[in-house]
Structure formats: C-alpha cells, structure tokens
Amino acid sequence: MPVESDAELAEILEYDHVAVVGCSSTPGKDAHDVPQYLLDHGYDVIPVNPYADEIFGRAAYDSLADVDEQVDVVDVFRPSEEVAGIVDEAIARDDVQVVWTQLGIKDDDAARRAEDAGLRVVQDKCIKVEHGRLRA
C-alpha cells in the first residue's frame, strides 16, 4: 500500500540523496523547479536525463542504472507508462529505499512490485509540496 500518512512522508523526507528521473534543464518546468527546490533545501539531487549532459552543474546520468552515487529516493518525472521500467532499475539497486512518483504519475502494478521488493512507494504526490507542508 503506497505511503499516505504524514508521519511516513516526513520520515521519507529525511533521506538526503534523491535521483530525479526525468529531471529537466529548462527553468519553469516542474521537472526543473522541483529538483531546484530540493537542492535549495539541502538535498543531494542527482539528475537523470539521457538528453542532458549536465543539470544544476552536475553530470546528468542517462538512466537510474547508470548512477554510480548513493540513491535513497527515486523521484519520477516521467509518464506513468514508464514507471515500470524505472521501478525495475530501482529494485536492481541495493541502495534505493523509496520510489516517489510526482503528481499525475501512477502505476499500481509497479508500485506493488516495488513494495514486494522492500521499497516504500509514494504515488501521485509532489515532493516539493509535501516537503513544504511537513518539513519547511
């Protein structure tokens, strides 16, 4: 069952290393402004975007599987139909604790697989909104 309680969301927001799959290099897009907000609030944001070389002055990785840094939370800014593959990559890693899909992004089957693999899942919520509500 995806995380819904404020207590669990607040606990998840204590993780430091957030890989943003679908991170955008274009200011004004949510996939840019939300990770920028996370950076501004002390998170280690790891951009994942195969069409960018660098975002926020950091190397952008082509896929979650390519990330060679620690990842606690995978924040997904990709269409719902791409979530299953991202979850597969998250499950294959030994460091991911949480898969978080942004507003409007949901895949219940992938969420169940992630939970069965021991990951916590947040679906259809904005990490910036939840941070502002619970931690700011």
Side-chain angles (χ1 to χ4, degrees), residues 55-85:
I55 302 173
F56 308 125
R58 296 197 59 175
Y61 293 91
D62 288 346
S63 71
L64 185 59
D66 292 330
V67 175
D68 59 7
E69 303 172 51
Q70 180 177 335
V71 174
D72 302 318
V73 178
V74 176
D75 186 20
V76 180
F77 276 95
R78 299 299 305 148
S80 295
E81 51 273 8
E82 293 183 27
V83 170

Side-chain angles (χ1 to χ4, degrees), residues 64-123:
L64 185 59
D66 292 330
V67 175
D68 59 7
E69 303 172 51
Q70 180 177 335
V71 174
D72 302 318
V73 178
V74 176
D75 186 20
V76 180
F77 276 95
R78 299 299 305 148
S80 295
E81 51 273 8
E82 293 183 27
V83 170
I86 295 164
V87 164
D88 289 342
E89 290 183 1
I91 290 170
R93 298 181 62 96
D94 62 4
D95 54 354
V96 173
Q97 304 297 311
V98 180
V99 173
W100 185 308
T101 65
Q102 287 293 134
L103 286 172
I105 304 169
K106 191 172 182 179
D107 181 331
D108 291 333
D109 290 335
R112 273 190 290 282
R113 282 190 303 105
E115 290 171 336
D116 289 347
L119 304 181
R120 290 196 279 180
V121 175
V122 179
Q123 290 196 109

Side-chain angles (χ1 to χ4, degrees), residues 13 33-34 37-38 75 100 102 125-133:
L13 291 168
D33 294 349
V34 171
Y37 171 91
L38 294 175
D75 186 20
W100 185 308
Q102 287 293 134
K125 290 189 185 301
C126 178
I127 196 168
K128 175 183 174 183
V129 169
E130 297 305 322
H131 181 274
R133 191 171 69 80

Side-chain angles (χ1 to χ4, degrees), residues 8-77:
E8 274 192 280
L9 289 170
E11 187 178 300
I12 288 168
L13 291 168
E14 291 179 17
Y15 287 114
D16 295 319
H17 309 283
V18 182
V20 180
V21 179
C23 191
S24 175
S25 58
T26 307
K29 287 189 169 187
D30 289 342
H32 179 275
D33 294 349
V34 171
Q36 180 67 63
Y37 171 91
L38 294 175
L39 274 171
D40 293 346
H41 285 83
Y43 288 88
D44 176 28
V45 173
I46 303 151
V48 179
N49 180 331
Y51 302 106
D53 293 327
E54 183 180 286
I55 302 173
F56 308 125
R58 296 197 59 175
Y61 293 91
D62 288 346
S63 71
L64 185 59
D66 292 330
V67 175
D68 59 7
E69 303 172 51
Q70 180 177 335
V71 174
D72 302 318
V73 178
V74 176
D75 186 20
V76 180
F77 276 95

